[in-house]
Each structure stands twice: as C-alpha cells, then as structure tokens.
Amino acid sequence: AGWKKVLVVTNEFHIERSKAIFDWIFHAPSSDDDALAPYEMYYLSCNNVGLSPEAVSSRKAHEARGEANVQNNLSTQYPTLKDVWEFLTTQHDFYTAKKLVSTATGEDRVKADNLLKISYGQSSTTLSKRSMEWKDGRLVLALDMYVIVALVVLVLGLYFSFWKNARYVKEFKSV
C-alpha cells in the first residue's frame, strides 16, 4: 500500500545534491529497529534555462559542497528518519524555528557569494525587503524558497509522526 516509486524533477545544477538527499531520506528507516522502505527512486533534470553561465557555475559549486556534506557527514550522522527530523528542527541552519523566524521577519542575512545571491534573486536590495508585512489591513507573506522548504519539512514531520502513532494504535488495538 502507498506510493513506492518516486520521481524527483529539478534543475540540472541541483540534480546530484537532490539525488544524495532523496536517496538518504527515502532509504532511511524511521528508527533503528525498522526495516528500510523499498522505494524506487527516479531522477529527471531540467535545463538551466534563464541563468547565465556564471550563475550556473556558482550554483553548481554551491550544490557540490552540499552534496559532499550530505554524503560524507549528514547521512552517516543521522541514519534514521527520527535522527533526520531532530537534526532539521534543532540544528540545521535553515530549518530551525529561530532561523525561520529570522527569515520571516527579515532579520536574516544570507552569507553567500554575491553571484549566488543574485542568481536566486537576492541582491543587497532584496535582502533588506521583509518577507512579512501588513498591507491594506491584511498580513501579506512573501514565501521564499527557504520558507517553502521549511513548511514541507514540517508537513513531512507531522505526517511521519502521525503515521508512526497510527501504526502503534493499530498494533495496540490488535493486542
């Protein structure tokens, strides 16, 4: 039951890091005593349309550092989904509550080379722009990639927590 085949579609500059992350997460057991989930992973990359060669080069270098970190550090330090969840919500530079608040309030200043920032639409002027503002009597949110990813991580965490609790409830009722 459930989905067992996963297709990840992303830009060419991002595909290798995505493979490292998705292979790590989708092949990790939920805890030390669980069996590995039998997912079939497929990857498809899109051309880097709309980016200058310099921007692609900057992004590729950034992604290569991230891929190496996933393969050499994170996947060995955090081998289960429980470990991953705890890492993302308490230690990761982009997904902790403190980081999300600083990003949402505009207090966050991303430290990356200027070309990388510009390729993501973040120049020195856009970094000072707030992601949240009160406009015409309404709260307006401008969700950037970090906030969107953080929301996805939150939803996945809640799903896995519910799934595990539901499984325990089902086992308890059968006893």
Side-chain angles (χ1 to χ4, degrees):
W3 294 353
K4 297 298 178 188
K5 295 180 181 181
V6 178
L7 172 63
V8 177
V9 180
T10 190
N11 290 74
E12 180 270 331
F13 69 82
H14 190 242
I15 195 72
E16 295 304 320
R17 180 174 171 193
S18 295
K19 282 181 184 179
I21 292 170
F22 279 84
D23 285 347
W24 167 38
I25 300 300
F26 278 86
H27 292 106
S30 58
S31 65
D32 288 329
D33 57 346
D34 283 345
L36 296 177
Y39 289 99
E40 290 181 49
M41 304 301 297
Y42 299 92
Y43 300 93
L44 179 64
S45 64
C46 305
N47 294 333
N48 298 317
V49 176
L51 295 173
S52 70
E54 295 83 11
V56 171
S57 177
S58 180
R59 286 190 182 190
K60 281 185 175 183
H62 173 77
E63 295 298 321
R65 289 188 301 272
E67 177 190 1
N69 187 42
V70 169
Q71 291 175 333
N72 301 328
N73 300 319
L74 299 178
S75 62
T76 57
Q77 284 180 296
Y78 309 102
T80 68
L81 291 177
K82 180 182 178 195
D83 296 332
V84 172
W85 174 250
E86 287 179 17
F87 163 69
L88 288 175
T89 57
T90 63
Q91 299 173 28
H92 194 282
D93 290 339
F94 290 121
Y95 309 123
T96 62
K98 182 178 178 181
K99 176 67 177 189
L100 292 174
V101 168
S102 68
T103 299
T105 59
E107 296 169 11
D108 181 38
R109 298 296 178 257
V110 177
K111 295 179 182 174
D113 69 75
N114 200 36
L115 188 55
L116 182 63
K117 287 190 269 188
I118 290 170
S119 77
Y120 281 100
Q122 295 180 329
S123 66
S124 58
T125 57
T126 59
L127 281 175
S128 62
K129 183 179 172 185
R130 294 192 171 264
S131 298
M132 206 170 26
E133 62 182 273
W134 192 258
K135 192 174 192 177
D136 299 325
R138 298 182 310 189
L139 181 63
V140 178
L141 297 175
L143 298 179
D144 61 14
M145 192 58 150
Y146 298 124
V147 175
I148 292 168
V149 170
L151 291 172
V152 169
V153 168
L154 176 65
V155 168
L156 285 173
L158 291 171
Y159 169 78
F160 284 117
S161 295
F162 175 76
W163 174 75
K164 191 164 187 155
N165 287 337
R167 197 174 77 189
Y168 288 139
V169 168
K170 187 184 287 184
E171 289 173 8
F172 179 74
K173 285 183 178 178
S174 66
V175 173

